[in-house]
Amino acid sequence: MVLCLPLARPPSPIISCHVHTSPTLLRTHNPRPSTSHSPAPTPPQLPPSLSLNPNSTPPPSPSPSLTCALHCPHFESCSGCTHEFNLHRPSIVDEATEFFHAHGVDDFTFDSCKLWGWRCRAKLAVRGSSVNPVVGLYQEGTHNAVDIPDCKAHHPNINAAVELLKQGITELNIEPYDEDEGTGDLRYVQMAVTTHDTALPASKRYLNGKVQVSLVWNSRNETSHNSQKLHALTNFLWKKGGRWNNNHLIHSVWANFQTSTNNIIFGNRWRHLVGEADFWENVGGIDISLAPSSFGQANTRAFNLLLQKLQKYVPYESSVTDLYAGAGVIGISLAASRKCRSVRCVEINKESKLSFEKTVNRLPSSVDSSISWHHADTSKDPVTWVRGSDVIIVDPPRKGLDPSLIEILQNISSIKHKPESSSQSPSVKDKDEKRPWILRAQEDSVQVGSKVTLEGRRTLPQTLIYISCGWESFKEDCKSLLSNKAWRLEKAHGYNFFPGTQSIEVLAVFQRGGKASQNKKKAGKKKKKRVKNDK
């Protein structure tokens, strides 16, 4: 892995990235997107990985701003990428470094991750005509779709699957959706790549990823008037790229039915049409199942790096609550890697329940934890979920934490514990529950393993781990959590989940109280003094 360092800005976090150094590959202008349907060009070859000391002088080479450039013919045409150079270090990293330094974290790190071909999940609009279909993203601020056949962010097999889809649209006379008229057959397509193929050596699994294709069809269900075209397109994709084809590209094909005229991509009805019904990926040391309707990280490699780091901050055999949990990937990975006593996953999207069940059913028998998933709104009575855990994990949407949860976390030390009789069983207590949102969470819950003891219910968290995809909202939440010294910020790490954008994924670790950090500094000073005397 080649190390790209920013110029003359010490101290700075270590930045690791892949670069290609051929000057002939550097763009001098921003061409408009190609309208041809030719296969995507072979990506430039990357040099062997190297490891450099960040304090040493790098060998002469093109500047990082050029070698870590996007080189995409669609830049400035689609709304996907916002900047073309310095993919290894977006300027927001400087702001993050200063922010964390101001809040007592001087060792903030940033991992640039994979810079090209990183996106394993994409939702694309289908527009144009059957003769000249357009499959891509909207131009910024418009609903004019732009074709992006050579997208440098996409996993190469997403581009290949899009090309195959276009062929099918043209040959079968499938009409793309017309937003103004509300007519046409195919509205959107979701492409999701699984790189979990145990039949291949680990080094070849990523490049040989298979694509789950979800067709968003402009009808109420599979029996509508244009359903024959849907099945014809499905058969075309499977015949040309399915399991029995020499070029096995397609993992499966699903249909989603949507007739609404709003901007919501997916409808409520899904149908598995062909291929493998279950979509598996391996992250955080576990196999996870993701339905096409479930949220999944677009950058699976970067997410895996984040999970590996997160696991180090969770004590062995602790009790964990995973809020905004989705299908419970984070919580389940901790149950497996840290041998947690209990893990509770809380999620508002009920579609994630099935994925959770399939994932826990595939865990090895050596995982002996109480693992549960609850369909609940974290914003309603959050103290219910905060209690009973040593560690709280929060992975909120871009808007950040719910205000009601922030308030509880700010006042964590003053939470009153209602006395509980040791003779009262959890089942009896559940029967006495009156709050409707908690009752719904209990009815829709999934429990694996033994019940949590009553003693566990009285525990309050000592560690809060915040995973943020919205930098602005994180800054506000962080300031709120630190405002009354209920928490202190211990560690922070950044990840480049979306190269080519001014976006940063943050993993921040908070500990209860403010005194320990002062004691820690004093202990550090004493330790240095002893070493000096020994000399």
Side-chain angles (χ1 to χ4, degrees), residues 249-270:
L249 174 68
I250 305 300
H251 170 275
S252 57
V253 180
W254 287 71
N256 175 264
F257 300 96
Q258 173 67 292
T259 57
S260 173
T261 56
N262 58 31
N263 293 330
I264 299 175
I265 293 178
F266 294 135
N268 294 324
R269 184 184 294 273
W270 288 86

Side-chain angles (χ1 to χ4, degrees), residues 53 128 171 173 189 218 257 306 336 346 364 390 481:
N53 186 325
E171 290 189 22
N173 194 30
V189 61
N218 189 31
F257 300 96
L306 184 149
V346 183
D390 305 311
L481 292 169

